[in-house]
Amino acid sequence: MAHIDLPEFEQMSPAIQGKARPILEKTGKLGEIFKLLAIDEKVYFATDVMIQKYLLDETSLSYDIKESIALLISVENGCKMCVDVHKSIAKMLGLTEQRIEEVLKGVDAISTTKEEKALLNFCIKASKKDNYKILKEEITALKEMGYSDVQVIEAVAITGYFNYINTLSNVFALGE
């Protein structure tokens, strides 16, 4: 049970109800993270922009890589709710059950290129408290593997997003 009272649809602002209505019509329920964010319109809409721009819009990284980052960082942060949600999202975006299971076992278990493994390992390192220890040489190595500045920034932004959303979920005991 969440450590905070989560609003039901009727308690949300009209602007957030407008965002919630299509979700309710499609799935019949609102997730706890949606309800938590709905407590504060500013937090909700700032987060919604991040979701749209980082995860749902087509970007320089494939949906496969973005969802792999989502799953890996959520596993690293011990966010069971986010792992469960992103397993479902990954399936909807076309990731195979095998790929999802590989990702959940960690980067070394993923059947992919050494370049993708390097990017995913970099994201895990970027998610840690000591990420200030990342060296320019590590970013240069990714670029030498073919990743652009935009792709590296996007990967780190997605990593940061999941640290943020995992923190909200974990602190307020969502999905328990």
Side-chain angles (χ1 to χ4, degrees):
M1 181 173 221
H3 293 327
I4 192 169
D5 292 331
L6 301 175
E8 294 303 325
F9 177 81
E10 300 76 25
Q11 299 166 307
M12 295 174 189
S13 74
I16 294 176
Q17 285 179 348
K19 291 289 203 167
R21 197 168 282 107
I23 296 168
L24 280 171
E25 289 169 359
K26 189 171 187 176
T27 67
K29 64 179 183 165
L30 295 174
E32 286 186 325
I33 195 70
F34 186 101
K35 291 178 178 182
L36 179 74
L37 296 170
I39 291 172
D40 184 328
E41 263 194 29
K42 290 179 192 132
V43 173
Y44 175 85
F45 284 106
T47 306
D48 188 55
V49 168
M50 288 188 285
I51 292 167
Q52 295 297 322
K53 298 300 176 190
Y54 294 160
L55 301 173
L56 301 177
D57 286 358
E58 194 169 309
T59 64
S60 66
L61 294 175
S62 69
Y63 289 117
D64 189 277
I65 290 175
K66 293 190 290 189
E67 281 304 314
S68 294
I69 294 169
L71 286 166
L72 286 166
I73 302 307
S74 295
V75 167
E76 284 290 317
N77 289 332
C79 188
K80 183 184 177 329
M81 185 203 71
C82 292
V83 169
D84 291 343
V85 167
H86 281 277
K87 282 170 45 178
S88 298
I89 292 171
K91 286 178 191 173
M92 289 184 338
L93 292 173
L95 274 72
T96 65
E97 191 71 44
Q98 178 184 341
R99 169 68 180 218
I100 294 166
E101 290 307 313
E102 288 173 355
V103 171
L104 293 174
K105 291 177 185 171
V107 175
D108 291 337
I110 303 171
S111 301
T112 191
T113 65
K114 68 179 179 20
E115 292 84 3
E116 186 174 323
K117 285 184 179 190
L119 180 66
L120 295 172
N121 277 319
F122 179 81
C123 289
I124 291 170
K125 187 172 183 179
S127 75
K128 305 289 185 190
K129 286 186 187 262
D130 65 350
N131 56 14
Y132 62 90
K133 294 179 181 178
I134 290 176
L135 303 173
K136 180 180 181 181
E137 290 80 13
E138 294 173 84
I139 296 167
T140 300
L142 289 174
K143 290 168 61 174
E144 288 172 353
M145 290 179 188
Y147 289 103
S148 68
D149 287 341
V150 170
Q151 289 172 312
V152 174
I153 291 169
E154 186 178 323
V156 173
I158 291 167
T159 298
Y161 170 79
F162 278 96
N163 275 344
Y164 159 69
I165 212 75
N166 294 162
T167 298
L168 286 170
S169 179
N170 288 339
V171 165
F172 294 106
L174 303 185
E176 292 184 11

